Amino acid sequence: MAKWAMVIDLERCTGCNSCAIACKYENSVPIGMFWRRLVSFTTGEYPNIRHEVIPRPCMMCENAPCARVCPTGATYYAGDGTVQMNYDKCIGCKYCMIACPYGARQYNFKKQEEKPYHNPDVLGREKGVVEKCTFCYHRIAKGEYKEKGHRMTACAQICPAGTTVFGDLDDPKSLVSRLIRDRRAVQIRADLGTKPRVYYLK
Amino acid sequence: MMDIFKYNLNDFMPLWDIRVAIDQFLGALGAGAFLAAIYVSHYHKRESKIGAFIAPVAAALGLLLVMTELGKPFRAIYAVLGNPTSILNWGTWIQGIFIPVAFLYAITITVGGKERLAKTLGIVGAFVAVLVASYHGLLMSVIPARPIWNSAHIPPLSLIYALTTGIAAYLILLSIVEKRDPDAEDTKKSLTHIWIWLLFAQLVMGVAFMLNSYWAGSDVLRQFKIVVGSPIFWVGVVILGMILPILILLSKKPVSLILTASLVLIGGLAFRYVLLDAGFASIVYNISVDFFP
């Protein structure tokens, strides 16, 4: 079984938002929500100001706080290194959103509007359930959408700068495995003990 | 300083709104009133009935209110036999036991006769009531993503607030319902004696929690500043909820007991709301802190 992981090289990221849009299109994410979002900050004091952008998908933690606190077991470990949602079991208590340190989880406050295109591979979500990034589970499970022989999430496929790399941690020769051995590799809030599977090169 | 572009709806909506604060307040109030009723039942059987009836009614009201907050309330049964590592799952069990037990206890002592049954129900109920009162704090204190909640102070604070607000509700009802009864006066007197000390303990524990949060590091301090910057905290929790009731009780002026107890109730609700609200401002900070410490 594979262990899927993602590496995001912040030195390459231009902040073009195409991954966020590709994700929305691929997963039919409604207005006002992002499964993969670009968190942006302005840091520093004038005149030494920097504008920073950090793409934030679901971190697919090995020790996920959301799966720990979900009262119904709607959030579960899928076994391939991802954390997935069972929309039929979710009661909408939002405890997982409170537990997630990354804000990766999105709640359907409203009924999702009809979209001109809905990806038939992706499950629809009702009002009152929580949803989040699935690491494009439908694409990966099918094994289609390969680029250079590798399975790809929508965000990794669209990225024009090659910022986002998706791959298998169990394969020591994969690009992801090589990149996380880079000393620039960090995990966000690793101090919380979540063991995220999304690595950033800073 | 960090400026943030706000464009994701979900990050800036309060995930748990005031209904959850009221649920925590009412559930804890019920548990506190139950414990007070058990205490009173050793002296005045007749007066203990009122407290015993507050417990299931308040706890059930809170539970109903929080059900309206769920996205899918009709699936709530899944939470009972769900994931045992979740505190919310424990909470469904604890409250699911507490409400019927408290209700049966109230019925038993009202009907009278079955002393042994009442005693058993009282012991079980008192045990579960302590769990209910602490559970609402435990629910918040196990979340490392919300630093100000992630403190061992929260469950005991929740427990002490349960006791003070429970006794306050009890005293209000006693003053309204049992006006002419001499035993009621006696009950009120003995409850007020404990109440002063509990209010003191609440003040000390509250100050300890605030000092602890102030010195617990930068991420807690950020949320601590939200708490101390809020007028609800200063007016509701500190002045109305703590200082004024203690001053009134110590000065022994003939101020109505109903007023004092209402102040404590306001303080209890304000405390839940302020603490709940302060937790919801950590996401962007969490993401940025590893890159711009």
Side-chain angles (χ1 to χ4, degrees):
Chain A
M1 186 71 94
K3 282 257 181 293
W4 301 112
M6 191 180 275
V7 175
I8 297 172
D9 190 344
L10 293 179
E11 289 292 317
R12 283 171 173 248
C13 182
T14 58
C16 69
N17 272 293
S18 51
C19 54
I21 303 303
C23 173
K24 277 186 86 110
Y25 195 72
E26 176 73 28
N27 295 298
S28 309
V29 181
I31 295 169
M33 280 185 206
F34 286 96
W35 280 10
R36 183 189 168 101
R37 161 177 171 227
L38 268 74
V39 183
S40 49
F41 327 91
T42 311
T43 61
E45 296 279 324
Y46 176 84
N48 301 315
I49 286 178
R50 270 172 74 100
H51 189 68
E52 299 283 353
V53 180
I54 298 176
R56 190 245 37 215
C58 173
M59 302 289 157
M60 298 294 173
C61 310
E62 200 178 322
N63 184 11
C66 54
R68 172 168 64 83
V69 303
C70 177
T72 65
T75 305
Y76 62 97
Y77 298 102
D80 57 352
T82 61
V83 179
Q84 302 291 352
M85 273 293 296
N86 180 350
Y87 304 122
D88 292 336
K89 266 180 141 184
C90 177
I91 58 170
C93 65
K94 296 174 245 145
Y95 198 25
C96 54
M97 300 179 69
I98 285 176
C100 177
Y102 311 106
R105 292 181 155 261
Q106 309 289 310
Y107 179 67
N108 286 286
F109 282 99
K110 291 176 282 192
K111 191 175 181 292
Q112 293 194 2
E113 68 282 357
E114 285 294 316
K115 284 170 284 286
Y117 168 73
H118 185 102
N119 188 347
D121 292 345
V122 176
L123 289 172
R125 281 87 61 185
E126 296 168 55
K127 180 190 170 192
V129 300
V130 174
E131 58 183 67
K132 70 171 191 71
C133 165
T134 59
F135 262 19
C136 284
Y137 188 73
H138 53 287
R139 284 172 158 240
I140 304 306
K142 268 186 166 179
E144 295 172 8
Y145 307 101
K146 286 188 179 172
E147 208 168 89
K148 292 176 193 159
H150 297 295
R151 299 180 190 193
M152 278 279 172
T153 60
C155 48
Q157 191 176 19
I158 201 102
C159 182
T163 301
T164 304
V165 181
F166 182 78
D168 186 359
L169 277 186
D170 276 355
D171 176 8
K173 282 186 211 128
S174 69
L175 186 54
V176 168
S177 302
R178 277 184 280 138
L179 282 174
I180 65 167
R181 288 197 287 270
D182 192 315
R183 61 189 168 140
R184 288 193 295 146
V186 292
Q187 293 162 308
I188 295 188
R189 291 315 299 262
D191 56 324
L192 296 180
T194 54
K195 300 185 187 164
R197 285 212 184 81
V198 176
Y199 294 80
Y200 289 80
L201 303 181
K202 75 170 178 183
Chain B
M1 276 306 292
M2 205 176 278
D3 198 8
I4 301 143
F5 290 135
K6 303 179 177 179
Y7 57 77
N8 193 16
L9 217 82
N10 270 260
D11 286 5
F12 302 99
M13 284 244 192
L15 297 176
W16 280 351
D17 57 14
I18 189 152
R19 280 173 287 180
V20 175
I22 297 175
D23 162 53
Q24 296 188 338
F25 170 72
L26 284 178
L29 185 152
F34 188 85
L35 290 171
I38 296 285
Y39 167 73
V40 170
S41 72
H42 292 301
Y43 309 102
H44 304 298
K45 288 264 184 294
R46 192 177 136 82
E47 273 63 36
S48 75
K49 285 172 203 161
I50 298 169
F53 270 108
I54 298 174
V57 172
L61 269 181
L63 208 58
L64 277 181
L65 201 65
V66 87
M67 291 276 272
T68 67
E69 213 266 350
L70 291 181
K72 294 277 176 195
F74 298 110
R75 291 181 188 165
I77 194 73
Y78 290 155
V80 179
L81 289 173
N83 176 9
T85 59
S86 170
I87 305 292
L88 206 58
N89 176 259
W90 304 3
T92 56
W93 280 97
I94 293 170
Q95 288 189 322
I97 295 169
F98 176 67
I99 294 172
V101 166
F103 187 68
L104 277 180
Y105 175 77
I107 296 284
T108 317
I109 59 168
T110 312
V111 173
K114 299 190 167 120
E115 288 293 322
R116 278 187 67 107
L117 180 64
K119 200 174 175 190
T120 317
L121 284 173
I123 291 168
V124 174
F127 180 71
V128 187
V130 175
L131 294 182
V132 170
S134 323
Y135 145 73
H136 291 107
L138 188 65
L139 189 72
M140 295 158 87
S141 74
V142 295
I143 303 295
R146 315 280 167 179
I148 198 163
W149 296 357
N150 191 11
S151 152
H153 286 265
I154 304 276
L157 254 181
S158 182
L159 178 60
I160 197 101
Y161 263 99
L163 292 171
T164 53
T165 53
I167 293 177
Y170 199 164
L171 287 172
I172 290 178
L173 271 189
L174 268 182
S175 313
I176 293 171
V177 180
E178 305 267 350
K179 269 187 178 151
R180 301 258 171 76
D181 195 345
D183 280 354
E185 283 304 315
D186 193 37
T187 311
K188 274 196 263 181
K189 220 174 186 175
S190 63
L191 274 182
T192 316
H193 270 299
I194 308 171
W195 202 35
I196 298 174
W197 291 108
L198 286 174
L199 283 170
F200 261 125
Q202 180 183 304
L203 181 66
V204 171
M205 287 165 74
V207 171
F209 171 61
M210 296 312 275
L211 284 176
N212 180 279
S213 308
Y214 184 68
W215 294 109
S218 61
D219 46 351
V220 184
L221 188 63
R222 277 178 62 262
Q223 299 195 328
F224 176 78
K225 280 177 182 161
I226 299 174
V227 173
V228 293
S230 141
I232 301 175
F233 171 73
W234 290 108
V235 176
V237 181
V238 178
I239 297 175
L240 294 183
M242 283 191 190
I243 311 281
L244 266 183
I246 291 176
L247 283 183
I248 290 173
L249 288 174
L250 283 186
S251 67
K252 296 195 171 138
K253 290 237 167 61
V255 183
S256 125
L257 196 60
I258 296 184
L259 179 77
T260 322
S262 314
L263 288 179
V264 172
L265 288 184
I266 291 170
L269 185 56
F271 164 74
R272 306 274 175 188
Y273 181 71
V274 167
L275 192 63
L276 199 68
D277 213 36
F280 295 128
S282 52
I283 294 303
V284 176
Y285 174 80
N286 274 344
I287 293 171
S288 66
V289 68
D290 282 314
F291 303 101
F292 318 107

